[in-house]
Amino acid sequence: MFITFEGPDGSGKTTQISLLADLLAGRGYNVLKLREPGGTAIGNQIRQVLHDLDNVEMDARAEFLLYSASRAQLVAERIRPHLAAGGIVLCDRFADSSLAYQGYGRGLDLNTIRQITQFATGGLKPDLTLYLDIDPLRGLTRRSANGEEWNRMDAPPLEFHQRVRDGYYSLIAAEPARWIKIDADQPVEDVHAAIASAIERRLHLV
Ligand code: TYD
């Protein structure tokens, strides 16, 4: 089972993935928690380039290919082996982030993104994707209030983040069976309860 988490910056994905991982591990599942970009030694080096606030001149195509390179490494080195061993993979962002940020946000062609992603991942798709929904301004405010890392991808104007969110809505509308939309503008425990009951309904795991 391959489950991904998506959402605007500051939607609380990282906290929620940890809570779900603990819940599933407590039920005896073999859970692997990963994040993009990163999750491997090579991916973490790519992450530094992507997040460096000095890299103001990065072309949108170069940006997308770096995310794709990190993804290819993560799929080959960590995700496929864990799935093959019968485990559950929980991933903080995956290819939908490229469609939302580089496609809808930066304006790269969506079909080209899909083709290159197919090549990078060998066609691996999530079984289920949880979308943690939050107003972009609320998310970014939450992020800086929590003193979290502020990276190059947080810096674009609010309109960019709004396009990303609208992009996610289009992706959900196109493939409703794969997505679960959760209201992330609630206390941590309430978001976790909503995720746990959605996982129960869809996958009968908990
Ligand atoms: P990160 O600090 O991991 O943020 P978050 O906690 O919100 O996931 O930063 C990841 C950033 O990279 C985030 O702004 C989204 C962006 N991103 C893309 O633009 N395209 C991608 O394909 C991926 C995986 C992430």
Side-chain angles (χ1 to χ4, degrees):
M1 189 68 61
F2 178 31
I3 302 173
T4 58
F5 282 67
E6 296 284 349
D9 297 83
S11 54
K13 292 184 279 49
T14 313
T15 308
Q16 293 301 331
I17 288 181
S18 292
L19 291 171
L20 181 62
D22 291 347
L23 177 69
L24 293 173
R27 305 285 159 101
Y29 293 102
N30 179 15
V31 182
L32 177 66
K33 209 171 48 155
L34 298 169
R35 72 163 175 189
E36 276 206 354
T40 63
I42 292 168
N44 284 331
Q45 293 172 58
I46 297 173
R47 181 183 177 91
Q48 282 182 18
V49 176
L50 281 163
H51 283 188
D52 190 339
L53 284 162
D54 287 338
N55 286 340
V56 279
E57 284 169 16
M58 192 180 297
D59 178 75
R61 289 181 178 83
E63 180 180 280
F64 166 61
L65 290 169
L66 285 169
Y67 282 115
S68 297
S70 170
R71 185 167 300 135
Q73 187 66 30
L74 188 67
V75 168
E77 189 181 320
R78 313 280 319 264
I79 301 179
R80 283 200 191 276
H82 193 78
L83 294 176
I88 297 178
V89 175
L90 302 181
C91 197
D92 190 341
R93 299 193 180 282
F94 194 63
D96 295 305
S97 282
S98 284
L99 288 165
Y101 284 80
Q102 281 67 53
Y104 290 96
R106 301 269 194 235
L108 293 186
D109 179 62
L110 295 173
N111 278 331
T112 307
I113 292 181
R114 288 198 175 94
Q115 282 166 17
I116 294 172
T117 298
Q118 163 81 25
F119 173 72
T121 62
L124 181 71
K125 292 237 170 79
D127 296 296
L128 185 73
T129 301
L130 290 149
Y131 175 69
L132 270 54
D133 192 39
I134 193 156
D135 174 74
L137 183 57
R138 279 276 291 154
L140 291 171
T141 314
R142 210 149 93 163
R143 163 155 296 189
S144 36
N146 290 347
E148 285 175 45
E149 176 209 43
W150 185 262
N151 65 58
R152 197 182 56 85
M153 291 305 293
D154 297 315
L158 193 58
E159 298 81 58
F160 171 85
H161 293 282
Q162 196 63 56
R163 282 200 300 281
V164 168
R165 190 201 207 186
D166 292 344
Y168 275 123
Y169 286 177
S170 303
L171 295 173
I172 295 169
E175 235 185 321
R178 176 165 66 88
W179 292 82
I180 296 174
K181 186 166 157 221
I182 305 277
D183 176 9
D185 198 356
Q186 309 179 70
V188 170
E189 316 77 64
D190 295 357
V191 177
H192 174 60
I195 290 173
S197 79
I199 294 274
E200 159 78 48
R201 273 197 313 278
R202 289 279 181 108
L203 303 178
H204 311 293
L205 283 181
V206 291

